[in-house]
Amino acid sequence: METISLPTKRHGGGNHQSAKGSSYSRRQRKINLLARGDGNAVPCVHCGTALTYATVEADRVVAGGSYRLSNIQPSCRRDNLARSNNPVWTA
């Protein structure tokens, strides 16, 4: 009997989700981060810059950890990229 090998499913399948979750999850995460401020703006935890829905990013406290609310903090893009995976980085 001949063995037939089927193509394996690539990571992520066809649902177009990234490691950051669905677009709905990312939108909800931004809304939750803004709720830590006045609902429309929140300061960056590193430099204090006022962040809006368009500029806020979820910076994970434990780098590489989950995106649970207890593990994310509002950050501007500049500081989020500069911090990278360094847990003791300061602006």
Side-chain angles (χ1 to χ4, degrees):
M1 190 179 277
E2 186 177 327
T3 304
I4 300 172
S5 61
L6 299 173
T8 58
K9 195 175 197 180
R10 293 188 328 181
H11 179 70
N15 60 9
H16 305 291
Q17 288 188 14
S18 70
K20 296 178 182 178
S22 67
S23 58
Y24 175 80
S25 296
R26 292 189 305 268
R27 285 192 301 269
Q28 286 303 115
R29 197 175 301 126
K30 283 186 163 198
I31 290 167
N32 287 328
L33 287 171
L34 290 172
R36 295 179 187 183
D38 66 7
N40 294 312
V42 64
C44 172
V45 295
H46 303 294
C47 68
T49 301
L51 304 169
T52 64
Y53 182 86
T55 59
V56 69
E57 291 195 4
D59 179 19
R60 291 181 282 184
V61 176
V62 177
S66 73
Y67 279 97
R68 285 188 325 255
L69 289 178
S70 61
N71 192 45
I72 60 173
Q73 55 192 1
S75 178
C76 65
R77 179 135 183 96
R78 180 187 64 122
D79 290 341
N80 198 10
L81 290 174
R83 179 175 178 251
S84 186
N85 289 332
N86 186 347
V88 293
W89 180 84
T90 56

Coordinates of all heavy atoms in Angstrom, one line a residue:
M1 N 0.8 -1.2 0.0 CA 0.0 0.0 0.0 C 0.9 1.2 0.0 O 1.8 1.3 0.8 CB -0.9 0.0 1.2 CG -1.9 1.0 1.2 SD -3.0 1.0 2.7 CE -4.1 -0.3 2.2
E2 N 0.6 2.2 -0.8 CA 1.4 3.4 -1.0 C 0.9 4.4 0.0 O -0.3 4.6 0.3 CB 1.2 3.9 -2.4 CG 2.0 5.1 -2.7 CD 1.8 5.5 -4.1 OE1 1.6 4.7 -5.0 OE2 1.9 6.7 -4.4
T3 N 1.9 5.1 0.7 CA 1.6 6.2 1.6 C 1.5 7.5 0.9 O 2.3 7.9 0.1 CB 2.6 6.3 2.7 OG1 2.8 5.0 3.3 CG2 2.3 7.3 3.7
I4 N 0.4 8.2 1.2 CA 0.2 9.6 0.6 C 0.5 10.6 1.6 O -0.1 10.5 2.7 CB -1.2 9.7 0.0 CG1 -1.4 8.6 -1.1 CG2 -1.4 11.1 -0.6 CD1 -2.9 8.6 -1.5
S5 N 1.4 11.5 1.4 CA 1.6 12.6 2.3 C 0.8 13.8 1.9 O 0.9 14.3 0.8 CB 3.1 12.9 2.4 OG 3.6 13.4 1.2
L6 N 0.0 14.3 2.9 CA -0.8 15.5 2.7 C 0.0 16.7 3.0 O 0.8 16.7 3.9 CB -2.1 15.4 3.5 CG -3.0 14.2 3.2 CD1 -4.1 14.2 4.2 CD2 -3.5 14.3 1.8
P7 N -0.2 17.8 2.4 CA 0.5 19.1 2.7 C 0.1 19.5 4.2 O -1.0 19.3 4.6 CB 0.0 20.1 1.7 CG -1.2 19.5 1.1 CD -1.2 18.0 1.3
T8 N 1.1 19.9 4.9 CA 0.8 20.4 6.3 C 0.3 21.8 6.3 O 0.6 22.6 5.4 CB 2.1 20.3 7.1 OG1 3.1 21.1 6.5 CG2 2.6 18.9 7.2
K9 N -0.5 22.1 7.3 CA -1.1 23.4 7.4 C 0.0 24.3 8.0 O 0.6 24.0 9.0 CB -2.3 23.3 8.4 CG -3.1 24.5 8.4 CD -4.3 24.3 9.3 CE -5.4 25.2 9.0 NZ -6.6 25.0 9.8
R10 N 0.2 25.4 7.4 CA 1.2 26.4 7.9 C 0.6 27.1 9.1 O -0.6 27.2 9.3 CB 1.5 27.4 6.8 CG 2.2 26.8 5.6 CD 2.8 27.7 4.6 NE 2.0 28.9 4.4 CZ 2.4 29.8 3.6 NH1 3.4 29.7 2.9 NH2 1.6 30.9 3.5
H11 N 1.6 27.6 9.9 CA 1.2 28.3 11.1 C 0.3 29.4 10.8 O 0.6 30.2 9.9 CB 2.4 28.8 11.9 CG 2.1 29.5 13.1 ND1 1.6 28.9 14.2 CD2 2.2 30.8 13.4 CE1 1.4 29.8 15.2 NE2 1.8 31.0 14.7
G12 N -0.8 29.6 11.5 CA -1.7 30.7 11.3 C -2.8 30.3 10.5 O -3.9 31.0 10.5
G13 N -2.7 29.3 9.7 CA -3.8 28.8 8.9 C -4.3 29.9 7.9 O -3.5 30.7 7.4
G14 N -5.5 30.0 7.7 CA -6.0 31.0 6.8 C -6.8 32.1 7.5 O -7.5 32.9 6.8
N15 N -6.7 32.2 8.7 CA -7.5 33.2 9.5 C -6.8 34.5 9.6 O -7.4 35.5 10.1 CB -7.9 32.7 10.9 CG -6.7 32.4 11.7 OD1 -5.5 32.7 11.3 ND2 -6.9 31.7 12.8
H16 N -5.6 34.7 9.1 CA -4.9 36.0 9.0 C -4.7 36.6 10.4 O -4.6 37.8 10.5 CB -5.6 37.0 8.1 CG -5.9 36.4 6.7 ND1 -4.8 36.2 5.8 CD2 -7.0 36.0 6.1 CE1 -5.3 35.7 4.7 NE2 -6.6 35.6 4.8
Q17 N -4.6 35.8 11.4 CA -4.4 36.4 12.7 C -2.9 36.3 13.0 O -2.2 35.4 12.6 CB -5.1 35.6 13.8 CG -6.6 35.8 13.8 CD -7.2 35.1 15.0 OE1 -6.5 34.7 16.0 NE2 -8.5 35.0 15.0
S18 N -2.4 37.4 13.6 CA -1.0 37.4 14.0 C -0.9 37.0 15.5 O -1.9 36.7 16.1 CB -0.5 38.9 13.9 OG -1.1 39.7 14.9
A19 N 0.3 37.0 16.0 CA 0.6 36.6 17.4 C -0.1 37.6 18.3 O -0.4 37.4 19.5 CB 2.1 36.6 17.7
K20 N -0.4 38.8 17.8 CA -1.1 39.8 18.6 C -2.6 39.7 18.7 O -3.3 40.4 19.4 CB -0.8 41.2 18.0 CG 0.7 41.6 18.0 CD 0.9 42.9 17.4 CE 2.4 43.3 17.4 NZ 2.6 44.6 16.8
G21 N -3.1 38.7 18.0 CA -4.6 38.4 18.0 C -5.3 39.0 16.9 O -4.7 39.6 16.0
S22 N -6.6 38.9 16.9 CA -7.4 39.4 15.8 C -7.5 40.9 15.8 O -7.1 41.5 16.8 CB -8.8 38.8 15.9 OG -9.5 39.3 17.1
S23 N -8.0 41.5 14.8 CA -8.1 42.9 14.7 C -9.1 43.4 15.8 O -8.9 44.5 16.4 CB -8.5 43.4 13.3 OG -9.7 42.8 13.0
Y24 N -10.1 42.6 16.1 CA -11.0 42.9 17.1 C -10.3 43.0 18.5 O -10.5 43.9 19.3 CB -12.2 41.9 17.2 CG -13.1 42.2 18.3 CD1 -14.1 43.1 18.3 CD2 -13.0 41.4 19.5 CE1 -14.9 43.4 19.3 CE2 -13.8 41.6 20.6 CZ -14.8 42.6 20.5 OH -15.6 42.9 21.6
S25 N -9.5 42.0 18.7 CA -8.7 41.9 20.0 C -7.8 43.1 20.1 O -7.6 43.7 21.2 CB -7.9 40.7 20.1 OG -8.7 39.5 20.2
R26 N -7.1 43.5 19.1 CA -6.2 44.6 19.1 C -6.9 45.9 19.3 O -6.5 46.8 20.1 CB -5.4 44.7 17.8 CG -4.4 43.5 17.7 CD -3.4 43.7 16.5 NE -4.1 43.9 15.3 CZ -4.4 42.9 14.4 NH1 -4.2 41.7 14.7 NH2 -4.9 43.2 13.3
R27 N -8.1 46.1 18.7 CA -8.9 47.3 19.0 C -9.4 47.4 20.4 O -9.3 48.4 21.1 CB -10.1 47.3 18.0 CG -9.8 47.7 16.6 CD -11.0 48.0 15.8 NE -12.0 46.9 15.7 CZ -12.0 45.9 14.8 NH1 -11.1 45.9 13.9 NH2 -12.9 45.0 14.9
Q28 N -9.8 46.2 20.9 CA -10.3 46.2 22.3 C -9.1 46.5 23.3 O -9.3 47.2 24.3 CB -10.9 44.9 22.7 CG -12.3 44.6 22.1 CD -13.2 45.7 22.5 OE1 -13.7 46.5 21.7 NE2 -13.6 45.8 23.8
R29 N -8.0 46.0 23.0 CA -6.8 46.3 23.8 C -6.5 47.8 23.9 O -6.2 48.3 24.9 CB -5.6 45.5 23.2 CG -4.5 45.4 24.2 CD -3.4 44.5 23.6 NE -3.8 43.2 23.3 CZ -3.7 42.6 22.1 NH1 -3.1 43.2 21.1 NH2 -4.2 41.4 21.8
K30 N -6.6 48.5 22.7 CA -6.3 49.9 22.7 C -7.4 50.6 23.5 O -7.1 51.6 24.2 CB -6.4 50.4 21.2 CG -5.1 50.1 20.4 CD -5.2 50.8 19.1 CE -3.8 50.9 18.5 NZ -3.8 51.8 17.4
I31 N -8.6 50.2 23.4 CA -9.7 50.9 24.1 C -9.5 50.7 25.6 O -9.6 51.6 26.4 CB -11.1 50.3 23.7 CG1 -11.4 50.8 22.3 CG2 -12.2 50.7 24.7 CD1 -12.5 50.1 21.6
N32 N -9.1 49.5 26.0 CA -8.8 49.2 27.4 C -7.6 50.0 27.9 O -7.6 50.5 29.1 CB -8.5 47.7 27.7 CG -9.8 46.9 27.6 OD1 -10.9 47.4 27.9 ND2 -9.7 45.7 27.1
L33 N -6.6 50.2 27.1 CA -5.4 51.1 27.5 C -5.9 52.5 27.7 O -5.5 53.2 28.6 CB -4.3 50.9 26.5 CG -3.6 49.6 26.5 CD1 -2.6 49.6 25.3 CD2 -2.8 49.5 27.8
L34 N -6.7 53.0 26.8 CA -7.2 54.4 26.9 C -8.1 54.6 28.1 O -8.1 55.7 28.6 CB -7.9 54.8 25.6 CG -7.0 55.0 24.3 CD1 -7.9 55.2 23.1 CD2 -6.1 56.1 24.5
A35 N -8.8 53.6 28.5 CA -9.6 53.7 29.7 C -8.8 53.9 31.0 O -9.3 54.4 32.0 CB -10.4 52.4 29.9
R36 N -7.5 53.7 30.9 CA -6.6 53.9 32.1 C -6.3 55.4 32.2 O -5.8 55.9 33.2 CB -5.3 53.2 31.9 CG -5.5 51.7 32.0 CD -4.2 51.0 31.8 NE -4.4 49.5 31.7 CZ -3.4 48.7 31.6 NH1 -2.1 49.1 31.6 NH2 -3.7 47.4 31.5
G37 N -6.7 56.2 31.1 CA -6.5 57.6 31.1 C -8.0 58.2 31.3 O -8.8 57.7 32.1
D38 N -8.3 59.2 30.4 CA -9.6 59.8 30.4 C -10.6 59.1 29.4 O -11.7 59.6 29.2 CB -9.5 61.3 30.2 CG -9.0 61.7 28.9 OD1 -8.9 60.8 28.0 OD2 -8.8 62.9 28.7
G39 N -10.1 58.1 28.7 CA -10.9 57.4 27.7 C -10.6 57.8 26.3 O -10.8 57.1 25.4
N40 N -10.0 59.0 26.2 CA -9.6 59.5 24.9 C -8.1 59.6 24.8 O -7.5 59.6 23.7 CB -10.2 60.9 24.6 CG -11.7 60.9 24.5 OD1 -12.2 60.0 23.8 ND2 -12.4 61.7 25.2
A41 N -7.4 59.7 25.9 CA -5.9 59.8 25.9 C -5.4 59.2 27.2 O -6.1 59.2 28.2 CB -5.5 61.3 25.8
V42 N -4.2 58.7 27.1 CA -3.5 58.1 28.2 C -2.0 58.5 28.1 O -1.5 58.6 26.9 CB -3.7 56.6 28.3 CG1 -3.2 55.9 27.1 CG2 -3.2 56.0 29.5
P43 N -1.3 58.7 29.2 CA 0.1 59.0 29.0 C 1.0 57.8 28.8 O 0.7 56.7 29.3 CB 0.5 59.6 30.4 CG -0.5 59.1 31.3 CD -1.8 58.9 30.5
C44 N 2.0 57.9 28.0 CA 3.0 56.8 27.8 C 3.6 56.6 29.2 O 4.0 57.5 29.9 CB 4.1 57.2 26.8 SG 5.5 56.1 26.7
V45 N 3.8 55.3 29.6 CA 4.4 55.0 30.9 C 5.8 55.3 30.9 O 6.4 55.4 32.0 CB 4.2 53.5 31.3 CG1 2.7 53.1 31.4 CG2 4.8 52.6 30.2
H46 N 6.5 55.5 29.8 CA 7.9 55.8 29.8 C 8.2 57.2 29.7 O 9.1 57.7 30.5 CB 8.6 55.0 28.6 CG 8.3 53.6 28.6 ND1 8.8 52.7 29.6 CD2 7.6 52.8 27.8 CE1 8.4 51.5 29.3 NE2 7.7 51.5 28.3
C47 N 7.6 58.0 28.9 CA 8.0 59.4 28.7 C 6.8 60.4 29.0 O 7.1 61.6 29.1 CB 8.4 59.6 27.2 SG 7.1 59.5 26.0
G48 N 5.6 59.9 29.2 CA 4.5 60.8 29.6 C 3.8 61.4 28.4 O 2.9 62.2 28.7
T49 N 4.2 61.2 27.2 CA 3.5 61.7 26.0 C 2.1 61.3 26.0 O 1.8 60.1 26.3 CB 4.2 61.3 24.7 OG1 5.6 61.7 24.8 CG2 3.5 61.8 23.5
A50 N 1.2 62.2 25.7 CA -0.2 61.9 25.6 C -0.5 61.1 24.4 O -0.1 61.4 23.3 CB -1.1 63.2 25.5
L51 N -1.1 59.9 24.6 CA -1.4 59.0 23.5 C -2.8 58.9 23.2 O -3.7 58.8 24.1 CB -0.8 57.6 23.9 CG 0.6 57.5 24.2 CD1 1.0 56.1 24.8 CD2 1.5 57.8 23.0
T52 N -3.2 58.8 21.9 CA -4.6 58.7 21.5 C -4.8 57.3 20.9 O -3.8 56.5 20.9 CB -4.9 59.7 20.4 OG1 -4.1 59.4 19.3 CG2 -4.7 61.1 20.9
Y53 N -6.0 57.0 20.5 CA -6.3 55.7 19.9 C -5.3 55.4 18.7 O -4.9 54.3 18.6 CB -7.7 55.6 19.4 CG -8.1 54.3 18.8 CD1 -8.5 53.3 19.6 CD2 -8.0 54.1 17.4 CE1 -8.9 52.0 19.1 CE2 -8.3 52.8 16.9 CZ -8.7 51.8 17.7 OH -9.1 50.6 17.2
A54 N -5.0 56.4 18.0 CA -4.1 56.3 16.8 C -2.7 56.0 17.2 O -1.9 55.4 16.4 CB -4.2 57.5 15.9
T55 N -2.3 56.5 18.4 CA -0.8 56.4 18.7 C -0.5 55.4 19.8 O 0.7 55.1 20.0 CB -0.3 57.8 19.1 OG1 -1.0 58.3 20.2 CG2 -0.4 58.7 17.9
V56 N -1.5 55.0 20.6 CA -1.1 54.1 21.7 C -0.8 52.7 21.3 O -1.3 52.2 20.3 CB -2.3 54.0 22.7 CG1 -3.5 53.3 22.2 CG2 -1.9 53.4 24.1
E57 N 0.2 52.1 21.9 CA 0.7 50.7 21.7 C 0.7 50.0 23.0 O 0.9 50.5 24.0 CB 2.1 50.7 21.0 CG 2.1 51.2 19.6 CD 3.4 50.9 18.9 OE1 4.2 50.1 19.4 OE2 3.5 51.4 17.8
A58 N 0.4 48.7 22.9 CA 0.4 47.8 24.0 C 1.8 47.3 24.3 O 2.3 46.5 23.5 CB -0.5 46.6 23.9
D59 N 2.5 47.8 25.3 CA 3.8 47.4 25.7 C 3.7 46.3 26.7 O 3.1 46.6 27.8 CB 4.6 48.6 26.2 CG 6.0 48.3 26.6 OD1 6.5 47.2 26.2 OD2 6.6 49.1 27.4
R60 N 4.2 45.2 26.5 CA 4.1 44.1 27.4 C 5.1 44.2 28.6 O 6.3 44.5 28.3 CB 4.3 42.7 26.8 CG 3.1 42.4 25.8 CD 3.3 41.1 25.2 NE 4.2 41.2 24.1 CZ 4.5 40.3 23.2 NH1 3.9 39.1 23.4 NH2 5.4 40.4 22.3
V61 N 4.6 44.2 29.8 CA 5.5 44.3 31.0 C 6.5 43.2 31.0 O 7.7 43.4 31.1 CB 4.7 44.3 32.3 CG1 5.5 44.4 33.5 CG2 3.7 45.5 32.3
V62 N 6.0 41.9 30.8 CA 6.9 40.8 30.7 C 7.1 40.5 29.2 O 6.2 40.1 28.5 CB 6.3 39.5 31.4 CG1 7.2 38.3 31.2 CG2 6.1 39.8 32.9
A63 N 8.2 40.9 28.7 CA 8.5 40.8 27.2 C 8.3 39.4 26.8 O 8.7 38.4 27.4 CB 9.9 41.2 26.9
G64 N 7.5 39.2 25.7 CA 7.2 37.9 25.2 C 6.1 37.2 25.9 O 5.6 36.1 25.5
G65 N 5.5 37.9 26.9 CA 4.4 37.3 27.7 C 3.1 37.5 26.9 O 3.1 38.0 25.8
S66 N 2.0 37.2 27.6 CA 0.7 37.4 26.9 C 0.3 38.8 26.8 O 0.9 39.7 27.4 CB -0.3 36.6 27.7 OG -0.6 37.2 28.9
Y67 N -0.8 39.0 26.1 CA -1.4 40.4 26.0 C -2.6 40.5 27.0 O -3.5 41.3 26.8 CB -1.9 40.6 24.6 CG -0.8 41.0 23.7 CD1 -0.2 40.1 22.9 CD2 -0.3 42.3 23.6 CE1 0.9 40.5 22.0 CE2 0.7 42.7 22.8 CZ 1.3 41.8 22.0 OH 2.3 42.2 21.1
R68 N -2.5 39.8 28.2 CA -3.5 40.0 29.2 C -3.4 41.4 29.7 O -2.4 42.0 29.7 CB -3.2 39.1 30.4 CG -3.6 37.6 30.2 CD -3.5 36.9 31.5 NE -2.4 37.4 32.3 CZ -1.2 36.7 32.5 NH1 -1.0 35.6 31.9 NH2 -0.3 37.2 33.2
L69 N -4.6 42.0 30.2 CA -4.6 43.3 30.6 C -3.6 43.6 31.7 O -3.0 44.7 31.8 CB -6.0 43.7 31.1 CG -7.0 43.9 30.0 CD1 -8.4 44.2 30.6 CD2 -6.6 44.9 29.0
S70 N -3.3 42.6 32.6 CA -2.4 42.8 33.7 C -0.9 42.8 33.2 O 0.0 43.1 33.9 CB -2.5 41.7 34.7 OG -2.3 40.4 34.1
N71 N -0.7 42.5 31.9 CA 0.7 42.4 31.4 C 0.9 43.4 30.3 O 2.0 43.4 29.6 CB 1.0 41.0 30.8 CG 2.5 40.8 30.6 OD1 3.3 41.2 31.4 ND2 2.8 40.3 29.4
I72 N 0.0 44.4 30.1 CA 0.3 45.4 29.1 C 0.2 46.8 29.7 O -0.5 47.0 30.8 CB -0.7 45.3 27.9 CG1 -2.2 45.5 28.4 CG2 -0.5 44.1 27.1 CD1 -3.2 45.6 27.2
Q73 N 0.9 47.7 29.1 CA 0.9 49.1 29.6 C 1.0 50.0 28.4 O 1.5 49.6 27.3 CB 2.1 49.4 30.5 CG 3.4 49.0 29.9 CD 4.6 49.0 30.9 OE1 4.3 49.2 32.1 NE2 5.8 48.7 30.5
P74 N 0.4 51.2 28.5 CA 0.4 52.1 27.3 C 1.8 52.7 27.0 O 2.5 53.1 27.9 CB -0.6 53.2 27.7 CG -0.7 53.2 29.2 CD -0.3 51.8 29.6
S75 N 2.2 52.6 25.8 CA 3.5 53.1 25.4 C 3.4 53.8 24.0 O 2.6 53.4 23.2 CB 4.5 51.9 25.3 OG 5.7 52.4 24.9
C76 N 4.3 54.8 23.8 CA 4.4 55.4 22.4 C 5.2 54.4 21.6 O 6.0 53.6 22.1 CB 4.9 56.8 22.5 SG 6.7 56.9 23.1
R77 N 5.1 54.5 20.3 CA 5.9 53.7 19.4 C 7.4 53.8 19.6 O 8.1 52.8 19.7 CB 5.5 54.0 17.9 CG 6.3 53.1 16.9 CD 5.4 52.6 15.9 NE 6.0 51.8 14.9 CZ 6.0 50.4 15.0 NH1 5.4 49.9 16.0 NH2 6.5 49.7 14.1
R78 N 7.9 55.0 19.8 CA 9.3 55.2 19.9 C 9.9 54.5 21.1 O 10.8 53.8 21.0 CB 9.6 56.7 20.1 CG 11.1 57.1 20.3 CD 11.2 58.6 20.6 NE 10.5 58.8 21.9 CZ 11.1 59.3 22.9 NH1 12.4 59.7 22.9 NH2 10.5 59.6 24.0
D79 N 9.2 54.6 22.3 CA 9.6 53.9 23.5 C 9.4 52.4 23.4 O 10.2 51.7 23.9 CB 9.0 54.5 24.7 CG 9.4 55.9 25.0 OD1 10.5 56.3 24.5 OD2 8.7 56.6 25.7
N80 N 8.3 52.0 22.8 CA 8.0 50.6 22.7 C 9.1 49.9 21.9 O 9.6 48.8 22.2 CB 6.7 50.3 22.1 CG 6.1 49.0 22.3 OD1 6.7 48.2 23.1 ND2 5.0 48.6 21.7
L81 N 9.5 50.5 20.8 CA 10.6 49.9 19.9 C 12.0 50.0 20.6 O 12.8 49.1 20.6 CB 10.7 50.7 18.6 CG 9.5 50.4 17.6 CD1 9.6 51.3 16.4 CD2 9.4 48.9 17.2
A82 N 12.2 51.1 21.3 CA 13.5 51.3 22.0 C 13.6 50.3 23.2 O 14.7 49.8 23.4 CB 13.6 52.7 22.5
R83 N 12.5 50.1 23.9 CA 12.6 49.1 25.0 C 12.8 47.7 24.5 O 13.5 46.9 25.2 CB 11.3 49.2 25.8 CG 11.3 48.3 27.0 CD 10.0 48.5 27.8 NE 10.0 47.5 28.9 CZ 9.2 46.5 29.0 NH1 8.3 46.3 28.1 NH2 9.3 45.7 30.0
S84 N 12.2 47.3 23.4 CA 12.3 46.0 22.9 C 12.0 44.9 23.9 O 10.9 45.0 24.5 CB 13.6 45.8 22.2 OG 13.7 44.6 21.6
N85 N 12.9 44.1 24.2 CA 12.7 43.0 25.2 C 13.5 43.3 26.5 O 13.7 42.4 27.3 CB 13.2 41.7 24.7 CG 12.2 41.1 23.6 OD1 11.1 41.5 23.6 ND2 12.7 40.4 22.7
N86 N 13.9 44.5 26.7 CA 14.7 44.9 27.9 C 13.8 45.3 29.0 O 13.2 46.4 29.0 CB 15.6 46.0 27.6 CG 16.6 46.4 28.7 OD1 16.4 45.9 29.8 ND2 17.6 47.2 28.4
P87 N 13.6 44.4 30.1 CA 12.7 44.7 31.1 C 13.1 45.9 32.0 O 12.2 46.4 32.8 CB 12.6 43.4 31.9 CG 13.9 42.8 31.7 CD 14.3 43.2 30.3
V88 N 14.3 46.3 32.1 CA 14.8 47.4 32.9 C 15.1 48.7 32.2 O 15.7 49.6 32.8 CB 16.0 47.0 33.8 CG1 15.6 45.8 34.7 CG2 17.1 46.5 32.9
W89 N 14.7 48.8 30.9 CA 14.9 50.0 30.1 C 14.1 51.2 30.7 O 13.0 51.0 31.1 CB 14.5 49.7 28.7 CG 14.7 50.9 27.8 CD1 15.9 51.2 27.2 CD2 13.7 51.9 27.4 NE1 15.7 52.3 26.4 CE2 14.4 52.8 26.5 CE3 12.4 52.1 27.7 CZ2 13.8 53.9 26.0 CZ3 11.8 53.2 27.2 CH2 12.5 54.1 26.3
T90 N 14.8 52.3 30.7 CA 14.1 53.6 31.1 C 14.3 54.6 30.0 O 15.3 54.7 29.3 CB 14.6 54.1 32.4 OG1 16.0 54.3 32.3 CG2 14.3 53.2 33.5
A91 N 13.3 55.5 29.8 CA 13.3 56.5 28.7 C 14.4 57.5 29.1 O 14.7 57.8 30.2 CB 12.0 57.1 28.6

